[in-house]
Amino acid sequence: MAKTKKVVQFTATDIKEELLKKYPPKVARKRAKQIMINEATEAEPAPEIVANVRTIPGIITMRGCTYAGCKGVIMGPTRDIVNLVHGPIGCSFYAWLTRRNQTDAGTDGENYMPYCFSTDMQDQDIIFGGEKKLEAAIQEAYDLFHPKGIAVFATCPVGLIGDDIHAVAKKMKAQFGDCNVFAFSCEGYKGVSQSAGHHIANNQVFTHLVGENEVAPEGEYKINLLGEYNIGGDGFEIDRVFKKCGITNIATFSGNSSYDQFASAQHADLSCVMCHRSINYVADMLETKYGIPWIKVNFIGAEATAKSLRKIAEYFGDKKLIDRVEAVIAEEMPEVLAVSEDVKTRTNGKTAMMFVGGSRAHHYNELFQEMGMKTISAGYEFGHRDDYEGRQVIPDLKVDADSRNIEEITVVADEKLYNPRKTPEEIKALEDAGYEFKHYDGLNPDMDKGSIIIDDLNQYEAEKLVELLKPDIFCAGIKEKFSIQKLGVPMKQLHSYDSGGPYAGFKGAVNFYKEIDRLVNSKVWSYMKAPWQESPELTGKFVWE
Amino acid sequence: MLLRHTPKEVKERKALMINPAKTCQPIGAMYAALGIKGCLPHSHGSQGCCAYHRSTLTRHYKEPISAATSSFTEGASVFGGQANLVQAINNIFTVYEPDVIAVHTTCLSETIGDDLNQIRDKAQKEGKIPEGKTVIGAPTPSYVGSHVTGFSNMVKAMAQLAEPSGKKNGKVNIIPGWVEPCDMAEIKRIAGLIGVDITLFPDTSGVLDAPLTGEYKMFPDGGVTIPELKASGDAIGTLALGEWCSADAARWLDSKCKVPCTVLDMPFGLAATDRFVDVLRTVAGVSVPDSVAVERGQLVDMISDMHQYFYGKRVAIWGDPDQLISMTEFLISLDMQPVYVVTGTPGKKFEARIKELCEGQPFEVKVKAKGDMFDVHQWIKNESVDLLIGNTYGKYIARDEDIPFLRWGFPILDRQGHQYFPTVGYKGGLRLLEKILTLFLDRKDRDDPEQTFELVL
């Protein structure tokens, strides 16, 4: 079994050297800045990590593209908007139902997520331009389905040939009158990873949808949940807990989301940010334009869920809510603790590595800690420096050419709708009591001293890390899954959760404990060698002697 | 209802594709390239294409799929991708040490007009391609053809490695087309039984069905080798299985290297396998051993034993043209009725061929080359079928309309076995029959009233 061969003599510096050894000098120099040994002490700050920079050509990267971030991640989970991809067929095909965003079509029954819409551009469209075809495709989608909204996504060649998708969208919107048509310039070559696509998607959602519904939804403690995508039903579990606590979730950006949710987001009194990477700027814009403060939350991990619920209750400061949240936590925790106590007998002391997205590698730390497991190496696929080092570095971030290509929108306070939810005095009182608004410390402080933090990990480094450190479990995405497992180490997908989930909230924590217990203690990892391979020397005896 | 918005009323669509039965060229090129020994496929474009193709192939094969990308950003898209590719070639040979890099283009690099051959020559001149290593390339813009033609383009690039020595080597080239690794192994087994010395390319057996041993080999032991591909120009002939996937490469070898070729249907089902075996023994000048005849007889036996369950059943099928042609013929030979046949891959010839196969049959076939699964579903809503055959995405139709569903084709994301149990050849025919029968009989056992619930079927 893999873990019996665990190598302990390597120091973090040795490992870093080992990872860089094989690269051509230029590549090694660049990667050296993206592989960081977490040496933060109280006296001196942690070393900087280079993140959100170009992927090196030819290096087998875990990253995807801007289109994937825009259509796949952010708009993919919206159920009642027709997501029409303008481009050759592949881009739409690959983002078709592959992220396990669960949906409940609700009472209106509108759900286009199982459909794949494309203009299926052919070579003549590339030569003569595809605007006419796009226009016709939007018309056909409208005639067939009469949706509330049609979103158009640009793929690489669309940007190159210069189709004006925004003009087409605007024209069609005016023509229909009862269907909002808007577009995303999310060509795959923009930016350096999916992260640019999140930004483009969120900006357009903010511009074209948020604020549309004038009537405020009912509810006592109204929040928005930002950066939650309902993978494997996470959003359902979080909503169950909210409901039990009496908290009203106006809009989830964007798991199981609907047009009306986005359009009503300005009515919430607090924004709660899950995935900091994908959406922190939307929280800022909601505050600037409508006066809604925001906090960082985490519903991955039972303790984290309890902490986040208490943080929401403390914000509203209402005893009724505070008591109800405490009652819910008291009711939910016994089962969670019972399972974790049992699982811990088999998981305590085991090690994990996580290289996922741009917040998940941090969130899941809490769950592993609850099982007595330690994360020995982690990093983000498309994180920025603030996801590692905390928001205090944001003012120092250099804007490079690739980031400059991503549209930034400037938001000002809405003349009619701006309404600060708390007075400066109230905010100050909360802050004086230790409450943290728009605050995020990043991954690094929660990682052990001397652990290895790597940005934009690639296949070669993943394989080397696993060989050298022999973790009990490795977490990443589908592309990494089977090469890691071939090494005899279980691999858990934390983007799509394989077939599991939900892992958020209290019930999710229980699911995760059981899943990790199953993986790290599965018998299969002891079957790697056949008996005759374990002792290959022939002794010349017959078995019946 | 999962596809609740699909209306029964069929309206012609000119611009909007809904639920495609095809995907784009590069993924086919990537799959074909994995059938070369020691090859790292490389996607010349922005990195999302490569990520998507690797993800889809990984989900289908449940195996590691390694491939690199030129990682274009906006700069490369404006100024050309030459610097990215030259750098990628250098990095790949240094870090991963493959024998071959098989580059394919994307819609991005094609639109800006990158010339793969010129870039390769530049890399060669700059000493970025080590001695004894190979770089091949195929144009695969995503706005032309489909994943099937992308596969074909990469196979042609493989054939173009042929270096005829002027002396025949007695071998037969077989180009199997886009089939599963186990199908490629089965084609080799059949050729072995008949006693024909073959070069199969591409050959993903041994690559995409690697064992779990605690060791990871980025380049498993399988695949056709570069020396074998070079020697393909000395073969006595080429059998191309499938007009869409394999014929281009075979015809190139025929015209450029004087290796005569025969284009056959993919050997799915009885008649197509018969033709394959018959041509194989003819070109090699050998006789077919009894063991092959026994396998054939077993397939015929099962057809006759269970004919009552196949007879008259209406089927909707979608997928790749070469596979659909053989499947249509097979279904007809079972007295089944392939009434709806759709491939996303363009080509008028496809419609003509399917119509020809269905001529004189007691049913009318609706066939569409440029169709999609939305078409298939709408037709079903108007007149239903007894069985669906196609890739995983059919499960939404199957559930909504409550129709038995055989997963066959690409991609299959939610079932296992397709990578291990072949569906080509006589044995493959048996497996297809067994699966179809099980679907029908499970359905019968579920639906029959108590009085007619039977033990013996």
Side-chain angles (χ1 to χ4, degrees):
Chain A
M1 204 168 159
K3 65 181 175 188
T4 57
K5 289 188 264 170
K6 198 172 288 178
V7 180
V8 286
Q9 70 270 34
F10 285 102
T11 67
T13 322
D14 290 340
I15 288 161
K16 183 168 176 176
E17 224 167 84
E18 193 66 27
L19 295 181
L20 297 173
K21 210 162 74 180
K22 210 173 180 189
Y23 289 133
K26 239 176 94 181
V27 178
R29 271 200 300 279
K30 187 170 181 196
R31 289 302 296 157
K33 295 179 203 154
Q34 292 176 277
I35 301 174
M36 191 194 89
I37 301 163
N38 199 29
E39 287 173 324
T41 60
E42 277 175 29
E44 47 189 309
E48 274 181 23
I49 190 165
V50 167
N52 194 35
V53 292
R54 288 181 189 181
T55 317
I56 301 161
I59 297 298
I60 303 179
T61 175
M62 291 160 71
R63 285 175 168 175
C65 65
T66 297
Y67 161 82
C70 182
K71 159 68 167 67
V73 177
I74 307 291
M75 294 311 286
T78 62
R79 65 175 170 84
D80 56 2
I81 295 171
V82 165
N83 285 324
L84 169 59
V85 180
H86 185 37
I89 196 65
C91 299
S92 194
F93 183 88
Y94 303 118
W96 184 14
L97 291 169
T98 46
R99 271 181 56 84
R100 299 197 62 238
N101 304 110
Q102 296 187 1
T103 343
D104 174 0
T107 43
D108 63 34
E110 246 186 301
N111 178 20
Y112 300 103
M113 278 167 60
Y115 292 87
C116 170
F117 303 99
S118 169
T119 54
D120 184 27
M121 286 175 102
Q122 299 296 305
D123 45 2
Q124 69 270 20
D125 304 317
I126 301 295
I127 297 163
F128 302 112
E131 286 179 19
K132 285 266 174 304
K133 190 169 195 183
L134 174 62
E135 204 177 302
I138 294 172
Q139 184 69 51
E140 285 173 4
Y142 177 79
D143 292 343
L144 270 167
F145 306 112
H146 296 281
K148 296 186 188 76
I150 298 175
V152 176
F153 301 85
T155 58
C156 289
V158 168
L160 290 181
I161 63 173
D163 276 0
D164 190 344
I165 56 170
H166 302 282
V168 174
K170 207 171 155 189
K171 177 180 164 191
M172 298 313 279
K173 181 182 173 174
Q175 204 167 299
F176 299 146
D178 61 350
C179 174
N180 192 354
V181 189
F182 45 95
F184 300 84
S185 289
C186 56
E187 294 87 347
Y189 54 75
K190 283 191 172 166
V192 300
S193 70
Q194 292 95 313
S195 174
H198 307 148
H199 209 134
I200 291 164
N202 286 322
N203 283 349
Q204 295 298 78
V205 167
F206 196 84
T207 307
H208 293 279
L209 296 174
V210 174
E212 288 259 302
N213 278 6
E214 285 174 16
V215 185
E218 286 185 16
E220 225 170 329
Y221 311 104
K222 288 185 264 194
I223 62 147
N224 291 321
L225 183 60
L226 308 184
E228 157 50 47
Y229 303 103
N230 204 27
I231 308 284
D234 274 356
F236 292 153
E237 164 64 3
I238 299 173
D239 278 345
R240 178 189 73 86
V241 175
F242 281 160
K243 210 171 166 193
K244 217 170 151 181
C245 293
I247 298 165
T248 305
N249 180 10
I250 303 282
T252 302
F253 287 62
S254 50
N256 190 38
S257 55
S258 65
Y259 189 100
D260 284 342
Q261 281 188 24
F262 287 132
S264 307
Q266 77 282 5
H267 295 296
D269 293 318
L270 175 70
S271 294
C272 301
V273 174
M274 270 283 279
C275 175
H276 176 263
R277 176 65 270 130
S278 62
I279 204 160
N280 68 79
Y281 34 84
V282 171
D284 277 338
M285 291 193 288
L286 283 166
E287 177 156 29
T288 310
K289 189 165 179 183
Y290 303 108
I292 308 169
W294 72 268
I295 55 171
K296 172 77 177 75
V297 293
N298 179 19
F299 289 100
I300 303 295
E303 289 296 339
T305 302
K307 209 169 125 189
S308 297
L309 290 173
R310 288 188 176 118
K311 206 167 165 184
I312 294 169
E314 198 185 339
Y315 168 81
F316 287 101
D318 192 330
K319 182 152 189 319
K320 195 176 82 182
L321 177 63
I322 294 169
D323 289 349
R324 196 152 163 191
V325 161
E326 288 306 328
V328 169
I329 295 169
E331 201 185 312
E332 299 276 338
M333 279 310 267
E335 195 206 335
V336 175
L337 290 174
V339 178
S340 79
E341 284 312 309
D342 169 45
V343 165
K344 221 187 250 178
T345 60
R346 294 177 298 275
T347 54
N348 206 22
K350 290 199 187 290
T351 57
M353 289 183 183
M354 278 189 283
F355 293 91
V356 209
S359 281
R360 283 178 192 262
H362 188 190
H363 290 160
Y364 277 82
N365 223 352
E366 305 232 19
L367 269 171
F368 281 120
Q369 279 167 8
E370 287 169 10
M371 282 182 279
M373 290 177 65
K374 196 171 133 179
T375 307
I376 50 175
S377 187
Y380 297 132
E381 186 180 346
F382 47 75
H384 298 200
R385 266 185 65 201
D386 43 311
D387 300 307
Y388 293 99
E389 300 172 48
R391 289 182 63 85
Q392 70 277 7
V393 303
I394 291 179
D396 306 332
L397 293 184
K398 279 182 242 119
V399 182
D400 58 19
D402 297 312
S403 307
R404 211 165 285 131
N405 292 330
I406 311 306
E407 180 201 33
E408 283 292 345
I409 53 175
T410 315
V411 171
V412 292
D414 189 283
E415 276 177 30
K416 278 189 283 179
L417 299 175
Y418 182 77
N419 163 31
R421 301 324 202 252
K422 298 254 181 210
T423 63
E425 294 74 35
E426 284 170 326
I427 297 270
K428 189 167 182 306
L430 275 166
E431 282 178 339
D432 287 346
Y435 201 87
E436 289 172 323
F437 286 101
K438 17 183 184 183
H439 182 85
Y440 180 53
D441 277 333
L443 166 75
N444 297 0
D446 281 343
M447 292 288 290
D448 277 359
K449 183 172 183 284
S451 58
I452 304 163
I453 295 170
I454 308 180
D455 183 64
D456 184 19
L457 186 82
N458 58 58
Q459 182 169 319
Y460 171 72
E461 291 166 11
E463 194 195 321
K464 273 270 165 250
L465 265 186
V466 169
E467 271 175 23
L468 295 172
L469 289 168
K470 296 284 175 203
D472 293 294
I473 193 160
F474 189 95
C475 305
I478 182 67
K479 302 191 295 297
E480 294 74 42
K481 186 171 177 79
F482 298 102
S483 56
I484 298 298
Q485 293 201 161
K486 290 279 193 233
L487 288 161
V489 171
M491 149 77 208
K492 178 69 191 170
Q493 289 187 64
L494 286 187
H495 292 128
S496 71
Y497 298 169
D498 302 293
S499 57
Y503 296 141
F506 300 108
K507 287 200 191 312
V510 169
N511 287 340
F512 195 75
Y513 300 154
K514 289 180 178 170
E515 173 71 348
I516 297 303
D517 179 25
R518 175 186 77 77
L519 280 164
V520 298
N521 293 305
S522 163
K523 290 184 199 67
V524 70
W525 311 111
S526 66
Y527 305 154
M528 296 301 115
K529 293 280 172 278
W532 59 89
Q533 289 170 316
E534 298 283 5
S535 45
E537 296 82 18
L538 281 175
T539 56
K541 272 190 180 176
F542 289 107
V543 282
W544 54 81
E545 268 178 11
Chain B
M1 293 293 273
L2 294 154
L3 300 169
R4 68 191 80 198
H5 302 292
T6 304
K8 192 176 166 184
E9 189 199 346
V10 181
K11 273 189 195 156
E12 200 202 350
R13 280 171 286 129
K14 284 204 171 89
L16 182 66
M17 167 81 81
I18 312 175
N19 302 347
K22 65 163 178 180
T23 182
C24 64
Q25 290 210 89
I27 196 171
M30 189 181 280
Y31 177 57
L34 290 164
I36 307 172
K37 190 169 177 357
C39 177
L40 189 74
H42 181 89
S43 168
H44 186 51
S46 54
Q47 66 209 14
C49 310
C50 187
Y52 274 135
H53 304 146
R54 290 178 65 206
S55 296
T56 304
L57 289 169
T58 304
R59 288 180 178 123
H60 178 83
Y61 292 106
K62 312 286 187 235
E63 285 293 319
I65 307 287
S66 298
T69 161
S70 293
S71 289
F72 276 35
T73 54
E74 207 151 54
S77 310
V78 175
F79 301 114
Q82 175 175 290
N84 288 50
L85 185 51
V86 172
Q87 195 194 349
I89 289 171
N90 185 40
N91 287 338
I92 290 168
F93 280 128
T94 312
V95 182
Y96 310 107
E97 303 174 42
D99 296 328
V100 192
I101 301 174
V103 186
H104 56 263
T105 58
T106 60
C107 44
L108 174 54
S109 54
E110 282 287 334
T111 308
I112 62 175
D114 275 357
D115 179 346
L116 287 187
N117 289 331
Q118 174 263 319
I119 300 175
R120 177 184 43 200
D121 291 348
K122 186 176 160 64
Q124 188 96 54
K125 254 187 233 138
E126 290 177 8
K128 303 282 166 60
I129 304 174
E131 193 62 32
K133 306 274 184 176
T134 310
V135 176
I136 61 171
T140 52
S142 315
Y143 41 75
V144 173
S146 76
H147 60 291
V148 174
T149 52
F151 179 97
S152 169
N153 290 352
M154 184 53 82
V155 175
K156 188 173 173 187
M158 292 161 71
Q160 285 169 339
L161 286 169
E163 288 174 1
S165 67
K167 216 177 124 197
K168 294 287 174 200
N169 62 14
K171 291 175 86 170
V172 175
N173 300 321
I174 299 184
I175 310 179
W178 189 323
V179 289
E180 296 284 331
C182 55
D183 292 319
M184 298 196 186
E186 179 66 3
I187 288 166
K188 286 195 287 190
R189 188 186 72 90
I190 294 170
L193 285 175
I194 300 170
V196 188
D197 196 2
I198 66 162
T199 301
L200 188 82
F201 69 90
D203 181 4
T204 56
S205 65
V207 181
L208 294 177
D209 50 6
L212 180 58
T213 61
E215 284 164 53
Y216 168 56
K217 286 183 183 168
M218 194 168 176
F219 306 107
D221 295 330
V224 65
T225 64
I226 294 296
E228 283 171 329
L229 286 171
K230 286 184 175 163
S232 66
D234 291 332
I236 52 173
T238 304
L239 291 186
L241 308 184
E243 180 67 43
W244 272 261
C245 279
S246 310
D248 267 5
R251 292 197 181 113
W252 190 90
L253 280 170
D254 196 338
S255 66
K256 294 286 158 64
C257 304
K258 309 276 178 289
V259 178
C261 76
T262 304
V263 180
L264 290 168
D265 293 324
M266 277 182 175
F268 292 109
L270 183 67
T273 306
D274 279 349
R275 293 195 292 273
F276 170 62
V277 170
D278 200 37
V279 169
L280 201 52
R281 61 125 197 174
T282 315
V283 295
V286 291
S287 50
V288 179
D290 285 347
S291 56
V292 174
V294 168
E295 285 179 14
R296 181 184 189 278
Q298 288 167 336
L299 176 58
V300 176
D301 191 54
M302 190 157 167
I303 296 171
S304 93
D305 289 347
M306 293 295 171
H307 183 255
Q308 66 269 36
Y309 298 110
F310 301 125
Y311 182 79
K313 291 287 197 301
R314 290 162 50 84
V315 193
I317 51 176
W318 64 92
D320 302 348
D322 293 330
Q323 299 184 346
L324 289 180
I325 286 166
S326 300
M327 180 58 94
T328 300
E329 187 187 32
F330 189 35
L331 293 174
I332 290 171
S333 74
L334 301 168
D335 285 318
M336 291 173 77
Q337 304 185 352
V339 287
Y340 309 138
V341 185
V342 163
T343 182
T345 300
K348 280 276 167 222
K349 267 192 289 185
F350 174 77
E351 292 177 9
R353 183 75 203 281
I354 295 291
K355 278 191 183 134
E356 187 187 298
L357 286 166
C358 297
E359 211 176 280
Q361 296 299 319
F363 63 90
E364 222 180 288
V365 64
K366 268 189 198 297
V367 54
K368 228 171 158 180
K370 281 176 84 178
D372 53 33
M373 284 168 62
F374 194 75
D375 286 324
V376 176
H377 194 180
Q378 287 197 306
W379 295 340
I380 286 171
K381 279 188 176 296
N382 285 282
E383 202 178 351
S384 195
V385 293
D386 303 298
L387 178 69
L388 304 174
I389 302 179
N391 67 19
T392 283
Y393 285 96
K395 75 190 280 179
Y396 289 77
I397 304 176
R399 181 171 149 136
D400 277 0
E401 307 298 335
D402 193 19
I403 301 169
F405 174 35
L406 171 67
R407 285 163 178 80
W408 184 72
F410 179 85
I412 296 171
L413 311 173
D414 61 340
R415 291 293 188 273
Q416 287 280 287
H418 53 86
Q419 57 282 73
Y420 293 119
F421 307 114
T423 54
V424 298
Y426 302 121
K427 286 244 187 242
L430 275 176
R431 178 160 188 262
L432 282 171
L433 285 195
E434 186 245 3
K435 294 203 93 167
I436 293 171
L437 265 173
T438 303
L439 286 167
F440 286 151
L441 299 183
D442 279 351
R443 180 57 176 263
K444 189 171 155 57
D445 283 342
R446 191 191 83 182
D447 293 350
D448 276 352
E450 279 186 23
Q451 303 87 315
T452 53
F453 186 76
E454 305 223 34
L455 180 76
V456 182
L457 292 168

